[in-house]
Amino acid sequence: MRWVILILCAGVLWGCSEPSESRPFQDVAIREIYTDSASIRALEVMPGSVGFAGSDGLFGSVDLQNLKVRTQRMTHLESFPEFRAVAHTSTDFFMLSAGDPALLYKTGDSGAMELVYQESGPGVFYDAMAFWDDTNGLAIGDAMDGCLSILISRDGGNHWTKTPCDHLPEALTGEGAFAASDTNIAISGDSCWVVTNKGRIYFSADKGETWEVRQSPVTSASDTFGLYSLAFYNAKTGYAVGGDYTRPEENISNKISTSDGGETWMLQAQGEAPGYLSCVQYVPGRDGRDVVGVSFKGIYYSQDYGQTWSLLDSEGFYSFRFTSDTVAVASGRGRIAELRFK
């Protein structure tokens, strides 16, 4: 139904504030607003609402004015897809399932979700998606046939084309991404960064026309170790996190930052908490100084560009998105919650 998309534009979601006058967060109040059997890892902030999707075919939206949650379930050939990625334009909401078959849906003219791309075969697994603007979008997935799987749309998501391997850098053996929070992709202007499980960052300066690879200080120590999430505050300032979810306390080489648009990356908080993080986001309006990260081990906060961190709460989440400079919507195993930072 068309309610999945925003209907009323709320304008700017957060106001400007001077970083020097912003008080550091000391605590976070957690209000559970939805429970379900599904695991929810994909969130998308839209004017007036947050769209989401998860396992068991679940998808829906959270109304930001009253926190009312509306849901539906998608079926395909009598089974429930596992959605790990969502995105939106000003007119449509999109969701993408992870495994074989990969199913990409968009809001259709009738108001129902319509299948616009499908891919099957050994190794098919998609992790995240995003749009540069109302016309150009991409989705990324694990490597197949020697290169990362990259889908591109140039018509607002009506049609999607898989980028040929001869147009992409060669993938490392087993290279892909962790579909943990739908934050493997960051976009600023025409630029795009993608983090992989091998600690590499794919970069495009031209909306996915051409790609190059930059190695970070993170190297793959195991199949479960690597970069899980990244965010860019602007075209220069970025932060990426990860680790190993099977060893969540380990805190070596799992947090990196860049101040030159991803040309170079520096390790941060080496040997210090937090360990494994599945999602990182900048606090809006604080000049890239304040950063929040989450995992199933808790909610962590940095007020010094990610150099040091503190634990705000031990409640665990998979993913979250800020809807203002002090409020976020978070998702996890079987639930969605509102986070109010204080």
Side-chain angles (χ1 to χ4, degrees):
M1 295 185 53
R2 203 87 182 160
W3 54 261
V4 179
I5 322 169
L6 62 129
I7 297 175
L8 297 175
C9 290
V12 179
L13 289 177
W14 45 74
C16 296
S17 60
E18 292 297 328
S20 59
E21 297 178 359
S22 300
R23 294 192 304 170
F25 296 150
Q26 304 293 330
D27 195 8
V28 57
I30 302 172
R31 176 185 176 186
E32 195 165 85
I33 57 177
Y34 178 73
T35 59
D36 192 274
S37 59
S39 173
I40 304 167
R41 297 180 181 270
L43 300 167
E44 178 79 353
V45 178
M46 306 181 293
S49 66
V50 173
F52 64 87
S55 62
D56 301 333
L58 178 72
F59 68 100
S61 66
V62 180
D63 188 310
L64 293 178
Q65 293 226 345
N66 56 25
L67 298 183
K68 183 177 180 179
V69 178
R70 303 183 71 173
T71 65
Q72 289 192 56
R73 274 189 157 81
M74 178 65 68
T75 60
H76 177 76
L77 300 178
E78 299 182 349
S79 66
F80 293 112
E82 181 170 351
F83 295 112
R84 296 289 187 98
V86 295
H88 86 289
T89 63
S90 63
T91 58
D92 287 291
F93 177 76
F94 299 81
M95 54 191 189
L96 174 62
S97 66
D100 183 10
L103 306 168
L104 201 165
Y105 293 88
K106 71 177 288 289
T107 312
D109 293 337
S110 65
M113 301 303 292
E114 296 179 359
L115 185 63
V116 292
Y117 180 84
Q118 180 174 347
E119 184 178 344
S120 297
V124 170
F125 196 94
Y126 281 89
D127 309 284
M129 65 186 308
F131 276 82
W132 284 275
D133 50 41
D134 279 353
T135 302
N136 301 282
L138 85 160
I140 62 102
D142 293 356
M144 295 179 64
D145 302 320
C147 70
L148 210 64
S149 296
I150 298 182
L151 304 178
I152 298 289
S153 175
R154 301 298 187 197
D155 63 358
N158 291 302
H159 302 90
W160 297 80
T161 302
K162 191 167 186 178
T163 304
C165 281
D166 58 8
H167 287 65
L168 292 171
E170 183 178 354
L172 300 178
T173 301
E175 189 166 24
F178 295 111
S181 62
D182 194 21
T183 51
N184 313 93
I185 302 169
I187 285 177
S188 180
D190 291 344
S191 297
C192 173
W193 299 262
V194 174
V195 291
T196 79
N197 58 351
K198 300 298 182 181
R200 302 206 300 174
I201 294 97
Y202 283 65
F203 173 71
S204 174
D206 51 13
K207 295 182 179 178
E209 292 287 348
T210 61
W211 294 86
E212 61 185 84
V213 174
R214 298 166 178 174
Q215 181 62 54
S216 78
V218 177
T219 56
S220 180
S222 70
D223 290 342
T224 51
F225 182 89
L227 293 173
Y228 280 70
S229 172
L230 86 162
F232 269 75
Y233 188 81
N234 52 39
K236 295 294 185 182
T237 305
Y239 205 94
V241 300
D244 187 339
Y245 76 91
T246 68
R247 298 178 175 88
E249 304 301 332
E250 292 186 0
N251 49 31
I252 302 297
S253 299
N254 72 312
K255 302 174 286 292
I256 58 174
S257 68
T258 181
S259 59
D260 58 10
E263 289 280 352
T264 59
W265 295 82
M266 294 182 58
L267 290 168
Q268 298 290 354
Q270 276 283 73
E272 299 177 7
Y276 165 73
L277 291 171
S278 58
C279 185
V280 66
Q281 299 283 284
Y282 282 100
V283 181
R286 298 201 177 186
D287 202 30
R289 184 195 67 191
D290 292 25
V291 192
V292 174
V294 305
S295 75
F296 61 86
K297 300 293 287 185
I299 303 168
Y300 294 84
Y301 168 64
S302 172
Q303 58 175 311
D304 57 6
Y305 303 93
Q307 297 178 72
T308 61
W309 294 77
S310 60
L311 177 66
L312 291 182
D313 198 282
S314 58
E315 280 204 50
F317 293 94
Y318 295 150
S319 192
F320 78 105
R321 302 291 186 277
F322 277 101
T323 59
S324 76
D325 55 356
T326 57
V327 181
V329 171
S331 63
R333 182 180 293 278
R335 65 173 179 156
I336 297 174
E338 179 193 60
L339 310 181
R340 288 191 170 269
F341 296 88
K342 301 184 269 186

